[in-house]
């Protein structure tokens, strides 16, 4: 199947199956929030709800609405944010981490990762609800300001909390970077502040997250952004090689920064050369910094990041190089499609074992953000082609 056929099939699956199912089964209705998982029979589970799932699903339905999905996206986007605020928002102005299915907060702790997704949701809600644009701009600025007061790192980026704790992590910075790139383009937002923060995180990534010798992106760091001690500091995730490559391509193209494009290409090559199972042709979970396999399980989300990076590289290149990236995107789309083959259409598998068997478990709502973003990125890049 060529990449255009994959795009048509994925869009049809999204519009006709996934969005309707998660609108009806993954949303509690007025006053309710978004569920953590839906089982393979299409029934919502009683699993505890991570706070990050709420703004991620708000983003999904806001973006689907912005792109013309005809279903009732407004109710999910509006009520999802109300629930997120009501259940998770703390007196500190930050969002807690975990609630039960009845809406009782059971972990109020701070996590930079969760705040980053709140910021992403604010940026998309401002675009689809123009009458709330000023409110979202104010909330976005206020949360960014609180983060800078609470946990700004002395040199660059952010601590994990206040007081600081180790290890420092690249992953929440990745999602904060994504929120910056979204926020700097929204009319009425403080574009200078968001652009400056995006540039700071990009520099932190290129100077510290990415190893200068190998070009691989690490996950965990000491207080001075040196690699964390022991095996934890050696972890390299193929999915994050692809995801950071995609973000650096976006940032580098906007800023005209050639170094970002060079580093993104190396990240992609590492993910493709070392992070794909040669037997299953899927992106696996974890390598070590010598590129040996540490965890051969394959999860859904790295397939989406492989697809996003490959198709954006295709849009930015020409000739045989472009064809090479299109072929990689076709492989990624084929891998993703296998995870979407479920008894009830519109759900997905999350994990595939080393022997190629999918684990029988409910579909996690958190994956929808990855899937929807990949499908829309494929649309946008194919238009550029």
């Amino acid at each position: 199947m060529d990449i255009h056929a994959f795009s048509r099939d994925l869009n049809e699956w999204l519009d006709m199956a996934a969005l309707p199912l998660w609108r009806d089964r993954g949303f509690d209705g007025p006053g309710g929030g978004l569920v953590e998982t839906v089982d393979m029979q299409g029934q919502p589970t009683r699993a505890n709800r991570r706070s990050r799932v709420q703004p991620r699903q708000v983003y999904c339905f806001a973006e689907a609405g912005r792109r013309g999905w005809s279903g009732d996206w407004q109710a999910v986007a509006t009520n999802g944010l109300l629930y997120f605020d009501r259940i998770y928002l703390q007196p500190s102005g930050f969002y807690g981490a975990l609630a039960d299915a009845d809406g009782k907060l059971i972990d109020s702790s701070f996590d930079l990762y969760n705040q980053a997704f709140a910021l992403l949701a604010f940026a998309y809600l401002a675009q689809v609800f123009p009458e709330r644009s000023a409110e979202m701009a104010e909330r976005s600025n206020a949360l960014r300001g609180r983060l800078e007061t609470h946990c700004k790192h002395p040199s660059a980026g952010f601590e994990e909390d206040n007081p600081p704790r180790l290890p420092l992590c690249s992953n929440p910075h990745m999602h904060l970077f994504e929120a910056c790139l979204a926020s700097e383009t929204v009319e009425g937002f403080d574009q200078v502040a968001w652009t400056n923060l995006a540039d700071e995180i990009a520099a932190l990534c290129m100077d510290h997250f990415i190893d200068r010798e190998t070009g691989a992106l690490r996950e965990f760091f000491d207080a001075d952004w040196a690699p964390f001690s022991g095996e934890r500091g050696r972890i390299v995730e193929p999915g994050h090689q692809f995801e950071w490559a995609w973000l650096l391509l976006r940032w580098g193209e906007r800023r005209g920064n050639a170094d970002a494009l060079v580093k993104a290409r190396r990240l992609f090559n590492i993910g493709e050369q070392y992070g794909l199972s040669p037997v299953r042709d899927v992106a696996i979970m974890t390598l070590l910094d010598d590129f040996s396999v540490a965890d051969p399980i394959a999860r859904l989300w790295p397939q989406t990041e492989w697809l996003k990076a490959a198709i954006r590289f295709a849009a930015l290149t020409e000739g045989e190089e472009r064809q090479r990236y299109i072929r990689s995107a076709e492989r990624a789309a084929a891998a993703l499609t296998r995870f979407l083959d479920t008894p009830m259409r519109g759900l997905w598998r999350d994990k595939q074992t080393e022997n190629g068997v999918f684990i029988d478990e409910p579909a996690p709502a958190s994956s929808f953000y990855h899937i929807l973003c990949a499908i829309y990125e494929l649309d946008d890049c194919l238009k550029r082609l």
Side-chain angles (χ1 to χ4, degrees):
M1 191 183 296
D2 74 10
I3 196 63
H4 296 279
F6 275 120
S7 180
R8 286 192 299 271
D9 287 355
L10 287 167
N11 273 285
E12 194 271 341
W13 172 89
L14 178 65
D15 288 348
M16 305 305 294
L19 283 164
L21 187 152
W22 288 88
R23 163 64 183 82
D24 294 340
R25 311 288 180 90
F27 171 52
D28 282 339
L34 292 312
V35 305
E36 181 75 18
T37 57
V38 172
D39 69 26
M40 285 297 136
Q41 289 70 50
Q43 296 305 311
T45 73
R46 297 277 300 164
N48 290 336
R49 299 178 180 184
R50 293 171 295 165
S51 71
R52 67 192 60 178
V53 167
Q54 308 302 314
R56 281 163 83 130
Q57 294 292 75
V58 167
Y59 152 79
C60 286
F61 282 89
E63 178 65 339
R66 191 177 74 87
R67 291 181 179 252
W69 183 59
S70 59
D72 179 18
W73 58 269
Q74 296 94 334
V76 183
T78 301
N79 286 284
L81 183 65
L82 286 171
Y83 181 87
F84 185 47
D85 288 339
R86 180 166 60 85
I87 302 301
Y88 298 94
L89 187 59
Q90 300 298 294
S92 63
F94 297 124
Y95 291 93
L98 188 70
D100 66 18
D102 294 319
K104 179 185 177 184
L105 191 70
I106 53 181
D107 181 358
S108 62
S109 63
F110 173 87
D111 189 333
L112 181 62
Y113 190 106
N114 297 327
Q115 321 313 313
F117 277 104
L119 291 166
L120 186 71
F122 296 159
Y124 279 85
L125 287 170
Q127 296 174 68
V128 296
F129 296 125
E131 69 279 6
R132 299 187 67 182
S133 178
E135 174 203 348
M136 292 302 143
E138 183 179 347
R139 294 182 64 169
S140 177
N141 282 336
L143 181 52
R144 188 192 65 249
R146 281 192 291 273
L147 289 172
E148 291 172 345
T149 300
H150 178 73
C151 60
K152 194 74 179 69
H153 188 276
S155 62
F158 293 86
E159 305 279 4
E160 285 296 293
D161 203 348
N162 186 0
R165 66 169 186 263
L166 295 178
L168 300 177
C169 303
S170 57
N171 192 15
H173 286 82
M174 182 180 71
H175 293 297
L176 188 56
F177 190 32
E178 182 180 22
C180 291
L181 293 177
S183 299
E184 72 177 15
T185 65
V186 179
E187 188 175 346
F189 276 45
D190 188 342
Q191 294 174 337
V192 172
W194 286 115
T195 294
N196 289 342
L197 184 54
D199 293 353
E200 179 184 321
I201 295 173
L204 177 63
C205 174
M206 293 190 290
D207 293 344
H208 295 286
F209 297 166
I210 295 175
D211 186 271
R212 294 189 180 189
E213 291 186 12
T214 66
L217 184 127
R218 297 180 191 267
E219 298 291 325
F220 300 108
F221 301 87
D222 252 326
D224 59 355
W225 292 118
F228 198 61
S229 59
E231 186 167 301
R232 205 167 179 190
R234 299 184 57 202
I235 288 175
V236 172
E237 293 193 7
H240 286 157
Q241 310 305 297
F242 294 130
E243 197 165 2
W244 274 104
W246 174 69
L247 289 165
L248 286 174
L249 284 180
R250 292 173 58 198
W251 179 83
E253 187 180 10
R254 284 188 195 178
R255 304 294 194 267
N257 187 302
D259 190 34
L261 306 185
V262 170
K263 285 182 163 59
R265 182 175 283 106
R266 175 59 181 156
L267 290 175
F268 184 89
N269 290 344
I270 289 168
E272 194 178 49
Q273 182 175 353
Y274 302 104
L276 304 181
S277 163
V279 175
R280 293 172 285 154
D281 205 26
V282 292
I284 63 170
M285 270 308 294
T286 314
L287 306 171
L288 296 179
D289 57 2
D290 62 359
F291 303 139
S292 61
V293 175
D295 183 359
I297 200 168
R299 291 189 62 193
L300 181 149
W301 70 262
Q303 321 313 317
T304 68
E305 303 311 318
W306 174 17
L307 175 56
K308 285 158 58 178
I311 199 61
R312 184 160 283 259
F313 267 115
L316 293 174
T317 52
E318 296 178 345
E320 177 49 39
E321 189 178 15
R322 170 176 285 182
Q323 293 307 310
R324 172 247 163 139
Y325 287 119
I326 289 176
R327 289 192 295 271
S328 190
E330 288 169 349
R331 291 169 62 199
L336 172 59
T337 299
R338 292 196 290 276
F339 281 80
L340 306 183
D341 183 10
T342 54
M344 178 169 284
R345 198 159 178 260
L347 298 171
W348 43 81
R349 302 293 188 182
D350 183 50
K351 301 182 190 75
Q352 185 196 60
T353 64
E354 188 173 10
N355 63 7
V357 175
F358 287 103
I359 294 174
D360 188 13
E361 60 184 343
S366 56
S367 301
F368 204 11
Y369 146 83
H370 291 282
I371 300 167
L372 179 133
C373 184
I375 293 171
Y376 289 151
E377 180 70 358
L378 181 56
D379 288 350
D380 292 345
C381 290
L382 287 177
K383 288 172 185 171
R384 292 179 64 171
L385 292 174

